[in-house]
Amino acid sequence: MPYDWNFTIVLRYLPQLLEGGLHTIILSAAAIALAAPIGVVMGVIRQQRVPILAPIAVAYIDFFRTSVALVLICWCYFALPVLIGVTLSTFTAVTIAIGLQASAYLAELVRAGLQSISVGQWEAARALGMGTRLRLQYIILPQAARRMIPVFFLLVIEVFKTSTLAGFVTYPEIVYEAYRVATDIYRPIETFTIVGAICFVFLFSLGRIALYLERRYAVVER
Amino acid sequence: MSYAWDFNFLWALGPLLLGGLINTGKLWAIAFSSGLAIGLAFGIMRTVPSRILRGIGMVYVEAIRNTPGLILLIWFYYALPILVGVQSSAWLAACVALSLYTGAYSAEIYRAGIASVEAGQWEAARAIGLSYAHQMRYIVLPQAVMRMIPAFGNRAIELAKATTLASTLAFGELLFTAKVIAEDQFRPLETFTAVSVIFTAVLLPLSYACIWLERRVARSGGIVRD
């Protein structure tokens, strides 16, 4: 029995799907905004082996690195409110879950970036009489950031993919909207084909940008 | 407000959770082994001289890698009956989608591994009269595989995480079982905490093993003599 494909009817619902896509983007942006400061601080603490704090950073990074995004989302949405006695919106819960996990990945990225700066740079800065903070701020981090940019972009792509899980706890992102459209018009395959295509175009473009940045910022020691 | 933690009910429901964990394990094992096989085929395809085969390999890898895993899963769930005419089930859709998902990522690992073998090895193998297939099979792959192992380990971890996606199709893996228990017992805090701990307890040692292997391979320059 050949299947009678019908994409035109789905296209009529395109605005609704794109609105879901917009929610996905907003959610990802919020998660990254939460992840960025935590990730940088944790990464620096770990790489600098700050006493007392470093083991905490390691435990934090290891826990979130090996946690499952969907489990974290469920935990933040279903369990966290019980623990703190405050009802969280789906948006807040998912932002916390994805943001914390991304911060762990980012911390590892920051650590690797700092590690990649040659010892000579550290020593030269110290020879000028700079303290740890100054050395990090003016000498090491600016160089490390340059190398981290392409990988950071890949992390952003991962965050976008993870954001599609938010529909599981009824946040109206793109997959959630797709389900609603699919049940409205009984066309799940066409709907999800189009949603898949939207995601592909978006993520593929981001990937190309990452590749471009990688070439552009490719490390050349001068 | 302090919350009275109570894990006792979970012990009683242990067999249920264990059943979920076993389903997760099954899905993982099938998707990982078939993913490695699919990845090998497409990974080699991406390195062969034929431009058409390379193109097909690239389309597959890019298409899968740039689509969120969840969408793949749902897509196959609805599309399988049409594509191959079989009755769809959450289990089948999850197996197919996660295999292809792992296949695309491991194809890249194979490709990078094969590319890391220096040209001299290919040339030497050709000089002694081996065919392309034999050069690959006997000279290049054995040397490349050792360097790929840490990356495959990381893939295995990512796949274990991805199996939870099947819960969105109501496949009874660990997370889905936990959700049912949490709703049934009105104890989401303990249940989801337990699931989270189970995953970390399994994946953290694996992750450390990968880091260890990576260092070892890096130290030996990827060359392992026995």
Side-chain angles (χ1 to χ4, degrees):
Chain A
M1 176 193 71
Y3 182 76
D4 184 21
W5 295 82
N6 185 351
F7 282 107
T8 40
I9 185 162
V10 182
L11 289 177
R12 263 191 270 147
Y13 286 81
L14 202 57
Q16 193 183 340
L17 294 176
L18 289 178
E19 204 189 317
L22 187 65
H23 282 140
T24 312
I25 294 176
I26 295 171
L27 181 64
S28 310
I32 289 164
L34 175 67
I38 304 177
V40 172
V41 170
M42 289 286 176
V44 170
I45 288 177
R46 184 166 186 190
Q47 203 271 336
Q48 290 291 301
R49 306 223 169 95
V50 179
I52 304 163
L53 292 179
I56 299 174
V58 172
Y60 174 89
I61 293 167
D62 277 348
F63 174 75
F64 282 107
R65 202 164 58 79
T66 53
S67 303
V68 182
L70 200 51
V71 175
L72 286 179
I73 290 172
C74 284
W75 196 90
C76 285
Y77 185 65
F78 296 112
L80 188 57
V82 179
L83 191 66
I84 58 175
V86 180
T87 321
L88 297 175
S89 69
T90 49
F91 180 79
T92 319
V94 179
T95 304
I96 294 174
I98 299 179
L100 291 186
Q101 180 162 50
S103 76
Y105 290 133
L106 184 61
E108 284 297 84
L109 169 60
V110 169
R111 182 173 73 119
L114 293 177
Q115 213 104 57
S116 77
I117 304 300
S118 70
V119 192
Q121 298 284 326
W122 291 93
E123 289 166 350
R126 204 211 302 263
L128 291 174
M130 292 175 134
T132 308
R133 216 190 83 101
L134 284 180
R135 279 192 286 167
L136 271 173
Q137 192 180 339
Y138 291 108
I139 310 295
I140 308 301
L141 274 176
Q143 295 184 68
R146 199 183 145 96
R147 298 182 188 187
M148 288 188 287
I149 288 170
V151 196
F152 179 72
F153 240 80
L154 296 181
L155 179 66
V156 170
I157 292 175
E158 285 309 310
V159 169
F160 272 113
K161 289 191 201 163
T162 314
S163 298
T164 59
L165 303 179
F168 197 59
V169 292
T170 71
Y171 178 71
E173 46 72 56
I174 194 161
V175 176
Y176 184 78
E177 293 296 344
Y179 260 122
R180 281 184 47 198
V181 171
T183 31
D184 266 8
I185 58 177
Y186 297 108
R187 290 274 171 192
I189 310 167
E190 288 91 334
T191 312
F192 280 100
T193 305
I194 287 184
V195 166
I198 295 174
C199 287
F200 174 82
V201 170
F202 184 67
L203 294 174
F204 186 77
S205 321
L206 276 184
R208 289 290 122 160
I209 297 174
L211 210 63
Y212 166 77
L213 288 174
E214 199 175 326
R215 292 219 182 100
R216 186 154 172 204
Y217 291 109
V219 180
V220 189
E221 296 278 327
R222 270 172 288 210
Chain B
M1 188 196 74
S2 72
Y3 180 80
W5 293 74
D6 175 18
F7 280 100
N8 288 327
F9 77 99
L10 268 186
W11 288 118
L13 294 172
L16 264 181
L17 273 183
L18 190 65
L21 189 61
I22 289 171
N23 277 340
T24 296
K26 273 191 208 157
L27 182 56
W28 178 86
I30 288 184
F32 193 57
S33 43
S34 45
L36 284 187
I38 296 170
L40 178 62
F42 279 96
I44 290 178
M45 228 167 166
R46 293 207 65 185
T47 62
V48 295
S50 154
R51 196 172 278 179
I52 298 165
L53 285 179
R54 278 212 311 268
I56 296 172
M58 196 187 76
V59 168
Y60 164 74
V61 169
E62 292 293 342
I64 301 276
R65 288 208 314 170
N66 287 302
T67 314
L70 179 61
I71 292 177
L72 286 178
L73 223 76
I74 300 169
W75 194 84
F76 276 103
Y77 183 67
Y78 290 113
L80 271 180
I82 292 163
L83 292 178
V84 284
V86 292
Q87 180 72 40
S88 198
S89 71
W91 159 251
L92 189 66
C95 279
V96 172
L98 291 178
S99 299
L100 289 173
Y101 183 73
T102 306
Y105 282 93
S106 44
E108 283 298 274
I109 300 174
Y110 282 111
R111 187 179 68 95
I114 292 169
S116 79
V117 175
E118 51 182 306
Q121 297 287 330
W122 287 98
E123 287 159 9
R126 191 162 39 214
I128 58 171
L130 293 181
S131 68
Y132 183 84
H134 280 132
Q135 292 167 28
M136 186 67 96
R137 164 79 185 77
Y138 293 108
I139 308 297
V140 176
L141 272 183
Q143 296 184 63
V145 150
M146 198 55 210
R147 300 174 196 182
M148 302 177 198
I149 289 174
F152 284 134
N154 285 326
R155 258 304 104 208
I157 293 171
E158 288 308 312
L159 175 63
K161 294 180 183 175
T163 55
T164 55
L165 297 180
S167 64
T168 59
L169 299 178
F171 172 65
E173 46 71 78
L174 187 57
L175 181 59
F176 185 78
T177 315
K179 198 160 175 269
V180 172
I181 292 177
E183 277 160 14
D184 188 59
Q185 302 284 319
F186 301 109
R187 289 223 171 248
L189 182 51
E190 288 88 342
T191 320
F192 287 118
T193 304
V195 171
S196 168
V197 168
I198 292 173
F199 268 109
T200 297
V202 175
L203 297 182
L204 191 58
L206 266 178
S207 159
Y208 272 110
C210 287
I211 294 172
W212 180 78
L213 268 174
E214 222 163 278
R215 288 213 186 108
R216 246 190 76 130
V217 171
R219 249 207 321 269
S220 63
I223 300 156
V224 178
R225 295 191 179 82
D226 45 9

